[in-house]
């Protein structure tokens, strides 16, 4: 049976909720099995899931707890939790100052500190720079703070 037009649209919320349920359940199961897997990767994924609007089951407070736990598990050696929280929760809550602070922190990690994470760190830092350069696209306020990063000031 082919779905088209209005009939296809009518099914979207159901399909979306099923996909969301699978993702959330898989993430929660991963946390229960081994929250330390890949230096807290399940906690990082939970940041994104919990950044959803509350009507969709999200919780900014829970996202922040997962952020803190990911930092703790990784011993604060990876920029990824900072970029993830900035891109999801800070944008959702329209907190530009936090967005800038988190991304500037992501830029402080030394890519050569851990050779196994070098590529990931370099890619995430490029992403952080791009997000900072385009921050006006994510925020409704007109006031753009000084976006010169700590790295650029040196």
């Amino acid at each position: 049976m082919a779905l088209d037009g209005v009939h296809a649209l009518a099914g979207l919320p159901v399909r979306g909720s099923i996909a969301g349920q699978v993702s959330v359940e898989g993430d929660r199961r991963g946390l229960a099995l081994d929250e330390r897997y890949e230096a807290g990767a399940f906690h990082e994924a939970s940041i994104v899931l919990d950044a959803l609007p509350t009507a969709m089951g999200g919780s900014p407070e829970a996202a922040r707890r997962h952020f803190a736990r990911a930092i703790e598990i990784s011993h604060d050696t990876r920029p990824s939790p900072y970029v993830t929280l900035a891109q999801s929760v800070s944008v959702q809550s329209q907190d530009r100052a936090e967005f800038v602070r988190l991304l500037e922190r992501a830029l402080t990690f030394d890519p050569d500190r851990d050779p196994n994470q070098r590529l990931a760190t370099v890619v995430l830092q490029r992403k952080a720079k791009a997000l900072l350069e385009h921050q006006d696209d994510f925020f409704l306020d007109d006031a753009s703070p000084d976006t010169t990063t700590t790295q650029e000031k040196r």
Side-chain angles (χ1 to χ4, degrees), residues 49-95:
L49 294 172
D50 283 323
L52 292 170
T54 53
M56 295 178 69
S59 166
E61 296 80 19
R64 291 178 191 287
R65 286 192 301 272
H66 287 294
F67 168 78
R69 190 68 182 130
I71 296 296
E72 182 181 345
I73 290 170
S74 71
H75 305 288
D76 200 14
T77 59
R78 298 179 174 199
S80 48
Y82 294 93
V83 175
T84 303
L85 189 71
Q87 192 173 6
S88 56
V89 176
S90 300
V91 171
Q92 179 75 17
S93 64
Q94 290 292 286
D95 189 340

Side-chain angles (χ1 to χ4, degrees), residues 95-114:
D95 189 340
R96 185 189 293 255
E98 177 185 65
F99 179 84
V100 170
R101 181 177 47 78
L102 290 167
L103 294 175
E104 285 184 345
R105 174 66 177 106
L107 294 173
T108 66
F109 289 90
D110 178 5
D112 296 320
R113 183 169 185 257
D114 181 356

Side-chain angles (χ1 to χ4, degrees), residues 86-146:
Q87 192 173 6
S88 56
V89 176
S90 300
V91 171
Q92 179 75 17
S93 64
Q94 290 292 286
D95 189 340
R96 185 189 293 255
E98 177 185 65
F99 179 84
V100 170
R101 181 177 47 78
L102 290 167
L103 294 175
E104 285 184 345
R105 174 66 177 106
L107 294 173
T108 66
F109 289 90
D110 178 5
D112 296 320
R113 183 169 185 257
D114 181 356
N116 293 326
Q117 290 297 313
R118 187 179 193 298
L119 178 60
T121 300
V122 169
V123 169
L124 283 162
Q125 288 180 332
R126 286 181 183 171
K127 183 175 185 173
K129 286 177 185 177
L131 289 168
L132 284 168
E133 290 169 2
H134 296 282
Q135 64 182 282
D136 289 338
D137 296 339
F138 307 114
F139 295 94
L140 298 175
D141 64 6
D142 291 331
S144 179
D146 176 18

Side-chain angles (χ1 to χ4, degrees), residues 15-78:
R15 287 187 206 117
S17 65
I18 290 170
Q21 186 66 27
V22 170
S23 297
V24 170
E25 290 304 316
D27 183 53
R28 301 298 182 229
R29 182 178 162 92
L31 281 169
L33 289 173
D34 184 5
E35 74 165 346
R36 294 181 176 280
Y37 175 76
E38 285 295 313
F42 288 120
H43 284 286
E44 286 186 46
S46 294
I47 295 169
V48 175
L49 294 172
D50 283 323
L52 292 170
T54 53
M56 295 178 69
S59 166
E61 296 80 19
R64 291 178 191 287
R65 286 192 301 272
H66 287 294
F67 168 78
R69 190 68 182 130
I71 296 296
E72 182 181 345
I73 290 170
S74 71
H75 305 288
D76 200 14
T77 59
R78 298 179 174 199

